[in-house]
Amino acid sequence: MQRAAVFDVDGTLVDTNHLHVTTWWEAFRQAGHRVPMHAVHRAVGLASGDLVARLLGEDRDKEQDAELSAAHKALYGQYFDRLPALPGAGDLLRRLAADGWTVVLATSAGGSELGALRRAIDADDAIEATASADDVDAGKPAPEPVEHALELAGVPAERAVFVGDTVWDMRAGSRAGVRCVGVLCGGLPRADLEEAGAEAVYADPADLLASLRGSPLA
């Protein structure tokens, strides 16, 4: 029977979370908002509109949302040619594909950003499909991104594992009914990931690869 290994990308396979923190902080600053970086970090992993709503509140000027998102995208886009893959990211995906797993990405990134992330991972030969922000109506922590990834893989939830670095990933995976694995390389504490639904937690892709035999991806 087929099995699906579904992966978040930012902070899980590519070391981009703190770039997102800095560029979102700068986008807010340029628009006259003082948002602490630690608050931005906790919101990374949400879709742009949800991130703005979480950080500025429902009583904000919502007409400014698109401008904030565009500013973040422009600032972050300056790094597209040098996004760093996390240790072992490509090797992990290739190993799982060789072991018979269908590897699918589930990310809030889309378009040119997703292309830059995939170039950084450099493992397109192992990636079967990608469920991006362009494909779903609701982003994480809603289950739709993971559910769409399972549809692309043609695998039921009970035959899948989702790997991510944020509480939004763990909640999305849990709501989709899949086993969840957390990684610490996105910068969140182990306890937060476990409380949100992580069955197991590893330092980064290289640690997961080295521990594969005893992991949910065995």
Side-chain angles (χ1 to χ4, degrees):
M1 292 180 65
Q2 273 191 305
R3 303 172 295 175
V6 182
F7 283 84
D8 170 63
V9 180
D10 281 297
T12 300
L13 297 173
V14 187
D15 193 8
T16 51
N17 279 11
H18 289 86
L19 291 175
H20 280 298
V21 171
T22 302
T23 52
W24 270 116
W25 175 85
E26 178 62 15
F28 285 124
R29 190 197 67 80
Q30 290 178 3
H33 301 289
R34 298 185 63 178
V35 181
M37 286 196 182
H38 69 83
V40 180
H41 185 204
R42 290 282 180 171
V44 167
L46 293 171
S48 294
D50 295 331
L51 182 146
V52 173
R54 180 176 178 84
L55 294 173
L56 297 186
E58 292 300 328
D59 59 346
R60 70 193 184 282
D61 178 5
K62 295 178 182 172
E63 292 185 1
Q64 199 180 47
D65 286 11
E67 179 183 332
L68 285 165
S69 181
H72 163 258
K73 186 175 292 187
L75 290 162
Y76 181 63
Q78 298 175 72
Y79 298 96
F80 278 3
D81 62 347
R82 54 191 187 279
L83 298 179
L86 282 154
D91 291 339
L92 174 61
L93 300 192
R94 282 188 286 269
R95 168 66 182 277
L96 290 170
D99 286 349
W101 290 83
T102 299
V103 176
V104 183
L105 306 182
T107 173
S108 58
S112 59
E113 180 182 347
L114 178 57
L117 291 165
R118 290 187 66 146
R119 288 193 298 275
I121 300 166
D122 192 24
D124 276 356
D125 54 316
I127 299 169
E128 182 70 24
T130 301
S132 76
D134 303 328
D135 303 319
V136 295
D137 294 326
K140 306 164 195 169
E144 280 88 339
V146 180
E147 291 172 342
H148 184 54
L150 297 180
E151 291 173 5
L152 293 173
V155 173
E158 60 269 20
R159 298 284 298 169
V161 177
F162 179 45
V163 183
D165 69 295
T166 69
V167 295
W168 319 118
D169 293 325
M170 300 301 101
R171 291 175 185 173
S174 296
R175 291 169 182 172
V178 303
R179 301 172 73 185
C180 296
V181 169
V183 286
L184 299 173
C185 41
L188 292 185
R190 176 186 298 269
D192 288 13
L193 298 176
E194 290 176 340
E195 184 179 351
E199 177 179 332
V201 179
Y202 300 89
D204 56 21
D207 184 33
L208 176 53
L209 177 59
S211 308
L212 209 52
R213 184 170 295 181
S215 79
L217 287 157

